[in-house]
């Protein structure tokens, strides 16, 4: 029987049978893991609340045929407690966890995504920035790490130096007048500048962005992430059929 030990962030899970739970974890060295925590829903479970979403744990598991089996869990940082206490923080953390799961599904190397998620959740818990800005910064960085960095100055299509006022999720970011597909909404350059500040961690710039500009940037980030993640999920479906 093969065992492993690793650091992990709990992303979610669901009930299994009477007393067990399948837990989804993003580990530092073993990628995205689905593991069974036996007896976790009994009152006297040895796992306690350590496998609730957003807990940062030290995990021991043995490799099963389809699912791994959790044998031991030690709590490293109880992020869940800070996150559950505030609705905006909870919403942001939920989107972070879902995005991290989608980006690491079937990826053998996930250390970068693990470290990014860990620092994002820690920062969120410490209320270092407004939750929505922490989320947008995380999303932009996670997408970049996955190879989908948005173009935020030059035209994503032809490379013409920017700034430009068109933003196309499908084409990969800002686009010039010539490349802009018909019907592309025009954006303010300040919203795109705000995204650039979030991506590079320039929080002094991001902190003074007017609320309506930050909201416009949030909508662009969401559209961008949705477009790429849906395409990724679709491409995975195609792979599974062939
Ligand atoms: Zn162009």
């Amino acid at each position: 029987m093969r065992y492993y030990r690793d650091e992990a962030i709990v992303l979610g899970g669901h009930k299994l049978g009477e007393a067990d739970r399948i837990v989804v974890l993003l580990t530092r060295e073993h990628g995205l893991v689905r593991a069974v925590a036996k007896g976790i829903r009994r009152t006297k479970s040895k796992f306690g609340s350590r496998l609730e979403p957003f807990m940062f744990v030290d995990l021991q598991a043995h490799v099963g045929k389809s699912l791994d089996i959790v044998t031991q869990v030690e709590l490293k940082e109880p992020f869940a407690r800070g996150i559950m206490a505030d609705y905006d923080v909870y919403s942001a953390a939920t989107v972070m966890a879902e995005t991290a799961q989608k980006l690491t599904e079937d990826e053998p190397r996930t250390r970068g995504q693990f470290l990014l998620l860990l620092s994002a959740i820690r920062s969120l818990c410490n209320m270092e920035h407004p939750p929505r800005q922490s989320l947008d910064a995380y999303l932009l960085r996670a997408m970049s790490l996955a190879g989908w960095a948005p173009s935020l100055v030059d035209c994503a299509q032809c490379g013409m130096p920017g700034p430009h006022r068109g933003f196309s999720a499908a084409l990969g970011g800002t686009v010039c007048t010539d490349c802009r597909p018909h019907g592309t909404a025009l954006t303010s350059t300040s919203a795109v500048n705000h995204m650039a500040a979030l991506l590079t961690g320039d929080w002094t710039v991001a902190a003074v962005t007017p609320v309506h500009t930050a909201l416009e940037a949030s909508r662009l980030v969401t559209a961008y992430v949705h477009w790429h993640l849906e395409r990724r999920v679709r491409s995975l479906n195609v792979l599974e059929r062939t």
Side-chain angles (χ1 to χ4, degrees):
M1 211 180 285
R2 198 161 67 82
Y3 281 83
Y4 62 90
R5 182 175 175 177
D6 203 346
E7 289 182 340
I9 303 162
V10 182
L11 301 183
H14 53 265
K15 291 174 186 174
L16 178 72
E18 287 292 302
D20 306 342
R21 192 169 164 79
I22 294 176
V23 188
V24 183
L25 306 118
L26 182 58
T27 66
R28 183 189 285 262
E29 306 295 342
H30 295 79
L32 186 72
V33 163
R34 284 181 178 78
V36 179
K38 289 192 171 165
I40 192 168
R41 284 156 56 216
R42 295 204 176 95
T43 1
K44 286 183 179 169
S45 163
K46 63 175 177 173
F47 300 122
S49 61
R50 278 165 284 172
L51 288 172
E52 280 174 13
F54 318 119
M55 291 298 194
F56 175 36
V57 297
D58 192 289
L59 171 85
Q60 278 186 56
H62 83 243
V63 181
K65 272 184 193 144
S66 56
L67 293 164
D68 298 350
I69 311 285
V70 180
T71 52
Q72 214 175 318
V73 188
E74 278 168 38
L75 195 57
K76 290 181 76 80
E77 290 180 64
F79 294 133
R81 288 172 205 162
I83 285 170
M84 299 301 181
D86 181 289
Y87 182 75
D88 289 337
V89 169
Y90 173 76
S91 306
T94 302
V95 178
M96 285 180 184
E98 282 174 8
T99 308
Q101 184 172 340
K102 282 188 180 150
L103 288 175
T104 54
E105 199 81 63
D106 298 319
E107 287 289 333
R109 278 185 295 278
T110 55
R111 191 194 290 182
Q113 291 289 359
F114 168 85
L115 294 172
L116 179 66
L117 181 66
L118 180 60
S119 69
I121 286 192
R122 188 180 281 136
S123 165
L124 194 59
C125 260
N126 294 338
M127 293 286 231
E128 286 172 28
H129 312 289
R132 186 62 211 240
Q133 291 196 11
S134 289
L135 172 61
D136 289 339
Y138 165 78
L139 292 173
L140 288 165
R141 291 171 195 181
M143 295 303 284
S144 301
L145 206 53
W148 290 315
S151 181
L152 295 175
V153 181
D154 300 341
C155 174
Q157 187 78 348
C158 71
M160 185 199 269
H164 305 291
R165 290 201 53 215
F167 187 93
S168 163
L171 293 181
T174 53
V175 278
C176 73
T177 318
D178 291 340
C179 298
R180 197 164 71 210
H182 190 68
T184 306
L186 290 182
T187 57
S188 65
T189 31
S190 48
V192 177
N193 289 343
H194 179 67
M195 286 165 73
L198 293 176
L199 178 59
T200 55
D202 195 344
W203 289 102
T204 47
V205 169
V208 296
T209 302
V211 174
H212 68 274
T213 306
L215 277 173
E216 185 188 356
S218 290
R219 283 194 294 271
L220 295 177
V221 172
T222 304
Y224 187 80
V225 172
H226 277 174
W227 196 89
H228 286 277
L229 287 186
E230 277 169 22
R231 198 180 59 153
R232 178 186 162 83
V233 172
R234 273 206 303 276
S235 63
L236 283 173
N237 290 342
V238 170
L239 274 182
E240 277 161 17
R241 278 202 297 272
T242 50

